[in-house]
Amino acid sequence: MVEVVVADITTLEVDAIVNAANERMLGGGGVDGAIHAAAGPELREACAEVPEVEPGVRCPTGEARITSGFALPARYVIHTVGPVWRGGDQGEPRLLASCYRSSLELAAAHGVASVAFPAISTGVFGYPAEPAARIAVRELRAAPDGVERVNVCCFDQASADVYHRVLDE
Ligand code: APR
């Protein structure tokens, strides 16, 4: 059951929230900035300990990494890196789907029963909201057993309306 909420994701009382991070995984703006601000400085320290898979890359686009949530209500933060929108024929749909799948796999592996996702890539990374929502809903509906509550956390009503339209199709 995929539910849509309009909220600041850092306030949600769920087992894990998903962060729309970048490959360096040391923070940024948007939801990444909000999560780091709310979690406190220990989150950046924990991210810095995530091994680089190549210089400057801790989490390649489409993959996910998990850390504690520290001062957040959520126990875990699952960091995933969405694709930058480059017109749609550079593998963006496949990479965005992989963000949701990788995050759900990590959630299941850590006994996470409730998880909230932001609208990955639809802010700074410029992914159009409706195609992104369609990919998100398809992947979230296929959440592994054990991950019972899956929320999409929209930052504004307009974004939530897109998800409601896609969910009602
Ligand atoms: N709670 C929930 N959603 C939020 C919040 C918040 N506190 N802040 C922003 N959002 C929403 C945005 O409105 C957008 O719909 O999260 C969605 C994703 O937008 P971004 O945060 O810009 O993420 P993204 O487009 O994936 O770009 C990632 O931005 O902040 C940097 O370090 C980050 O380089 C990375 C890039």
Side-chain angles (χ1 to χ4, degrees), residues 101-126:
R101 245 191 335 273
S102 309
S103 300
L104 287 168
E105 280 162 15
L106 262 185
H110 286 77
V112 165
S114 57
V115 60
F117 286 81
I120 299 164
S121 280
T122 64
V124 167
F125 282 0

Side-chain angles (χ1 to χ4, degrees), residues 3-162:
E3 290 175 36
V4 184
V5 294
V6 178
D8 172 346
I9 200 168
T10 63
T11 64
L12 297 185
E13 309 261 340
V14 288
D15 294 340
I17 60 171
V18 176
N19 182 21
N22 57 54
E23 292 189 335
R24 283 183 73 242
M25 254 186 81
L26 296 180
V31 71
D32 195 4
I35 288 173
H36 275 271
E42 291 172 290
L43 180 59
R44 192 182 190 287
E45 289 163 18
C47 288
E49 283 163 26
V50 172
E52 292 189 343
V53 292
E54 56 186 90
V57 178
R58 289 184 177 80
C59 184
T61 299
E63 294 189 17
R65 300 288 188 271
I66 193 166
T67 65
S68 163
F70 298 108
L72 286 162
R75 184 161 166 228
Y76 295 111
V77 177
I78 294 172
H79 307 261
T80 192
V81 180
V84 174
W85 178 256
R86 293 190 171 88
D89 56 1
Q90 309 282 316
E92 299 97 319
R94 175 181 54 76
L95 286 165
L96 185 61
S98 174
C99 284
Y100 287 97
R101 245 191 335 273
S102 309
S103 300
L104 287 168
E105 280 162 15
L106 262 185
H110 286 77
V112 165
S114 57
V115 60
F117 286 81
I120 299 164
S121 280
T122 64
V124 167
F125 282 0
Y127 210 114
E130 190 148 331
R134 250 189 213 95
I135 290 170
V137 166
R138 185 189 69 214
E139 295 304 328
L140 296 181
R141 279 177 167 155
D145 294 344
V147 184
E148 283 122 29
R149 261 185 61 209
V150 178
N151 294 331
V152 176
C153 179
C154 296
F155 208 33
D156 51 45
Q157 190 56 49
S159 178
D161 292 345
V162 172

